[in-house]
Amino acid sequence: MLKKSIALALFTTVITLTVSFYNRSVAQSDIITSDTLTSLAQEAIARGESEVSSSLSITFNEATSLDAAFARDTLIVGTPLVKKSYVVGNQSIDTWYKFRFNETLQQKTIYASVDDAPSDMLPLAADEFLVVVPGGEQFIDGVHFILSVAQFPSFTINQKYLLFLNYDASKRVGTIGGGPTAIYTVVYPDTLASIFVDSDGMPIGSPVSDGLYARFGNSLNQLRNTLNPPPPPPACDPDGSLEQDCNLNGGSWNFSTCHCSVSNPCSTSKPWLCDEPVY
Amino acid sequence: MGKIILSLLLGLYSLGLITYTLSEVFLAEGACTNCYGKETAFAGGKGPNGEASTPSNRYVNVGYDNSGGANAFTGNDATKIASAIGTASNAWNGAKGEDNTSEVPYTFIPSQNGNKVNVKIALVDKVPGDKDGGSCGGFLANIVGGEIKGGTIYILKSTMQGQTADQIAKIVEHELGHFMGLANIDLSKMNMCESIMDRSTGDGCALNRSISKGDVSTVIKHADNNQGCKRDRNNKVDRVEGGGGGYTDPTPIWYYPPTCYYFYDAVDYYYCYDGCRYIGTVYYLTDVFCY
């Protein structure tokens, strides 16, 4: 009897343990949860690491031709001054850059809504605007998290850029829908150089960069003159000689009336000039 | 004797040229597909029965988020994504390279075993990092010490609702291409050759591309120490910092050809007899400056 009891106890124990392990293994293995930056940071901590690298591969909303980019994008020449990265929804990191306006070549309305600026990037001076790009660095649970975006390098502070932006003028915030094909460094004095390069630093062609080269010889000046051509010379002064004479005589040339206005020194504000005795 | 050696050398040269030309013709398809360099390919996960991967057969377990959380697939979406994973896995597992025999060194296995899964698929409202709605999907690679350790595929909720399981499978195939080290086809090369990494020419997110022999060959190239892969997945976020102001050359040029300036003295010569007559001008080189 005792032997039967022991056998029964052993049998039930084995059955119970088997069912228990089976249920536990089912509970542990049948659930898949998406990674978050926090979970990746925790995994790094478990591995004894203090740094995590991730890379996003996404498809940018690139313009299919230079004319399509002109029709859609706001073109601004600007210089990044400061940057700051933020965790977004525990799945991504964004980096916000504060830019100084150098010039606006053309302005278009936004084609996709843009985020509100982080409060600590505000207020903006009159000659400043913001650009937000994916990727960046942040510390998450003490782990240094680096999120890069394939083929999309960060901006260099104090470098001048031409940007093809989805730009919200009311917020003064822009996004770079075209990704790396929408960013060009302005190399002294006015040459545009694409940042879309391979690991050897060789440029990778794109419809926009190919168009800039073919039509403007990568010259910012030529691009500027095409988008905002200078006023044509007036018919009354085709060679500009009248205007030059006017300027030499201290006058102000009016293009629309073809008239030179020379300020009268004998004005009410300078009466002593009018009261000089005549000998 | 000299003529014989020269003839042999010329023959070898011609043979090399023919071989090169033929290889360019047959590898033209692969030239469209680019791969990420400076990284180590995924070494492989566990096989169906727990077996280890080998360099030529790397198991990749692909599963979808079924946690019930914000990024989980449920109901009809779960059925659809399960079907898409199966179709995409079979497509890559059966694809052949340019020699019609080679295959990718990965074996994709649909799996809902949370302890084994290497590539997770998450359902999202917006692909993380996509600021302007250009992406129908996305891939986040987990990189440890320069080695791909796994990743997450993002599928848009709107795409799940608007596309069939077979169309979703195309997106999964594309994102698995990123997992295996393939970069997007450049927009300037769109429609130039068949590749699952090319963009859609259809409406919305309907990807009407297929895995090509060039795609398979490029995956093999990437797995084989990614020799010749020149795209950059892992841009250093702080690649260059100015900070000090002033001009920074953003694209270093290895060699600037010198520009030379030549300075001449011009001397006019006259013949004078009963008046002077101009004969001509002789130019003497006095200085050359090259920068």
Side-chain angles (χ1 to χ4, degrees), chain A residues 28-35 40 47 49 53-64 83 91-92 94 111-113 115 132-134 136-137 146-159 166 175-177 185 187-188 193-194 196-200 204-207 210, chain B residues 36 38 63-67 71 111-115 117 120-122 124 127-135 137-144 151-152 154 174-175 178 184 186-188 199 229-248 250-251 254:
Chain A
Q28 283 180 346
S29 66
D30 277 4
I31 299 295
I32 295 176
T33 307
S34 302
D35 287 332
L40 291 172
R47 290 193 301 267
E49 295 163 357
S53 294
S54 289
S55 172
L56 268 173
S57 291
I58 55 178
T59 306
F60 291 100
N61 200 352
E62 298 166 56
T64 52
K83 70 174 183 177
Q91 281 186 319
S92 186
D94 283 351
Y111 57 86
S113 61
D115 297 336
V132 55
V133 297
E137 294 181 65
I146 304 170
L147 177 67
S148 50
V149 179
Q151 292 296 148
F152 199 154
S154 59
F155 288 109
T156 302
I157 301 297
N158 290 326
Q159 166 70 53
N166 169 44
T175 58
I176 302 172
T185 53
V187 183
Y188 180 83
S194 172
F196 190 34
V197 295
D198 67 17
S199 56
D200 290 338
I204 302 167
S206 75
D210 294 350
Chain B
Y36 295 122
K38 297 176 183 173
Y64 61 88
D65 187 325
N66 62 352
S67 64
N71 303 119
S111 172
Q112 285 304 108
N113 185 338
N115 294 331
V117 72
K120 301 172 181 177
I121 303 185
V124 291
V127 174
D130 180 19
K131 296 288 161 207
D132 301 292
S135 291
F139 179 71
L140 179 73
N142 302 336
I143 304 167
V144 177
T152 302
Y154 298 110
H174 177 98
E175 304 306 339
H178 285 311
N184 284 326
D186 300 335
L187 192 57
S188 57
R199 292 144 207 269
C229 294
K230 293 189 173 179
R231 294 307 162 90
D232 201 353
R233 185 195 322 245
N234 198 18
N235 293 298
K236 284 284 285 178
V237 176
D238 281 314
R239 191 177 63 163
V240 186
E241 278 295 345
Y247 168 68
T248 305
T251 50
W254 303 111

Side-chain angles (χ1 to χ4, degrees), chain A residues 120-180:
Chain A
D120 55 352
M121 292 296 277
L122 299 173
L124 295 171
D127 65 342
E128 291 175 345
F129 66 104
L130 297 171
V131 172
V132 55
V133 297
E137 294 181 65
Q138 263 290 346
F139 279 88
I140 299 170
D141 293 343
V143 175
H144 183 205
F145 211 106
I146 304 170
L147 177 67
S148 50
V149 179
Q151 292 296 148
F152 199 154
S154 59
F155 288 109
T156 302
I157 301 297
N158 290 326
Q159 166 70 53
K160 193 191 285 187
Y161 292 92
L162 167 66
L163 306 171
F164 289 72
L165 290 173
N166 169 44
Y167 184 69
D168 188 329
S170 62
K171 293 181 178 176
R172 281 200 273 163
V173 172
T175 58
I176 302 172

Side-chain angles (χ1 to χ4, degrees), chain B residues 117-195:
Chain B
V117 72
N118 310 111
V119 176
K120 301 172 181 177
I121 303 185
L123 191 60
V124 291
D125 291 314
K126 191 175 180 181
V127 174
D130 180 19
K131 296 288 161 207
D132 301 292
S135 291
C136 298
F139 179 71
L140 179 73
N142 302 336
I143 304 167
V144 177
E147 182 180 343
I148 305 299
K149 289 293 187 182
T152 302
I153 290 173
Y154 298 110
I155 302 286
L156 287 176
K157 287 177 182 171
S158 58
T159 305
M160 281 305 295
Q161 289 159 8
Q163 308 287 332
T164 65
D166 283 346
Q167 288 168 329
I168 301 292
K170 293 282 186 188
I171 296 174
V172 174
E173 287 169 32
H174 177 98
E175 304 306 339
L176 287 177
H178 285 311
F179 167 74
M180 291 186 287
L182 301 186
N184 284 326
I185 294 287
D186 300 335
L187 192 57
S188 57
K189 288 186 178 173
M190 186 176 167
N191 294 329
M192 286 189 178
C193 51
E194 184 63 39
S195 171

Side-chain angles (χ1 to χ4, degrees), chain B residues 3-4 32 79 131 155 158 163 212 227 250 254 279 284:
Chain B
K3 283 184 180 176
I4 294 170
C32 271
T79 308
K131 296 288 161 207
I155 302 286
S158 58
Q163 308 287 332
S212 69
Q227 294 291 329
W254 303 111
I279 300 173
Y284 297 97

Side-chain angles (χ1 to χ4, degrees), chain B residues 10-288:
Chain B
L10 282 173
L12 282 172
Y13 173 72
S14 303
L15 193 65
L17 275 183
I18 291 166
T19 309
Y20 173 76
T21 308
L22 287 175
S23 71
E24 284 296 299
V25 168
F26 288 106
L27 290 175
E29 190 181 24
C32 271
T33 316
N34 298 297
C35 49
Y36 295 122
K38 297 176 183 173
E39 65 182 26
T40 305
F42 180 61
K46 295 287 181 190
N49 300 310
E51 58 268 49
S53 291
T54 63
S56 59
N57 185 24
R58 309 171 195 215
Y59 294 107
V60 183
N61 297 281
V62 185
Y64 61 88
D65 187 325
N66 62 352
S67 64
N71 303 119
F73 294 82
T74 56
N76 189 40
D77 282 350
T79 308
K80 202 188 275 188
I81 194 67
S83 169
I85 292 171
T87 305
S89 297
N90 289 337
W92 273 114
N93 292 343
K96 301 292 182 188
E98 285 155 335
D99 57 3
N100 290 319
T101 55
S102 59
E103 296 178 350
V104 294
Y106 301 92
T107 300
F108 290 98
I109 305 166
S111 172
Q112 285 304 108
N113 185 338
N115 294 331
K116 285 171 63 177
V117 72
N118 310 111
V119 176
K120 301 172 181 177
I121 303 185
L123 191 60
V124 291
D125 291 314
K126 191 175 180 181
V127 174
D130 180 19
K131 296 288 161 207
D132 301 292
S135 291
C136 298
F139 179 71
L140 179 73
N142 302 336
I143 304 167
V144 177
E147 182 180 343
I148 305 299
K149 289 293 187 182
T152 302
I153 290 173
Y154 298 110
I155 302 286
L156 287 176
K157 287 177 182 171
S158 58
T159 305
M160 281 305 295
Q161 289 159 8
Q163 308 287 332
T164 65
D166 283 346
Q167 288 168 329
I168 301 292
K170 293 282 186 188
I171 296 174
V172 174
E173 287 169 32
H174 177 98
E175 304 306 339
L176 287 177
H178 285 311
F179 167 74
M180 291 186 287
L182 301 186
N184 284 326
I185 294 287
D186 300 335
L187 192 57
S188 57
K189 288 186 178 173
M190 186 176 167
N191 294 329
M192 286 189 178
C193 51
E194 184 63 39
S195 171
I196 193 65
M197 306 312 291
D198 204 353
R199 292 144 207 269
S200 168
T201 54
D203 294 332
C205 289
L207 192 62
N208 47 7
R209 304 292 187 192
S210 297
I211 298 166
S212 69
K213 294 175 181 177
D215 292 338
V216 172
S217 295
T218 309
V219 167
I220 294 168
K221 184 167 75 173
H222 178 269
D224 183 19
N225 296 323
N226 60 50
Q227 294 291 329
C229 294
K230 293 189 173 179
R231 294 307 162 90
D232 201 353
R233 185 195 322 245
N234 198 18
N235 293 298
K236 284 284 285 178
V237 176
D238 281 314
R239 191 177 63 163
V240 186
E241 278 295 345
Y247 168 68
T248 305
D249 191 341
T251 50
I253 298 170
W254 303 111
Y255 172 69
Y256 288 94
T259 303
C260 294
Y261 298 89
Y262 297 86
F263 295 88
Y264 294 89
D265 276 350
V267 179
D268 294 336
Y269 284 91
Y270 296 86
Y271 171 73
C272 293
Y273 179 79
D274 192 18
C276 290
R277 194 157 52 96
Y278 173 71
I279 300 173
T281 304
V282 176
Y283 295 89
Y284 297 97
L285 182 64
T286 56
D287 259 322
V288 179

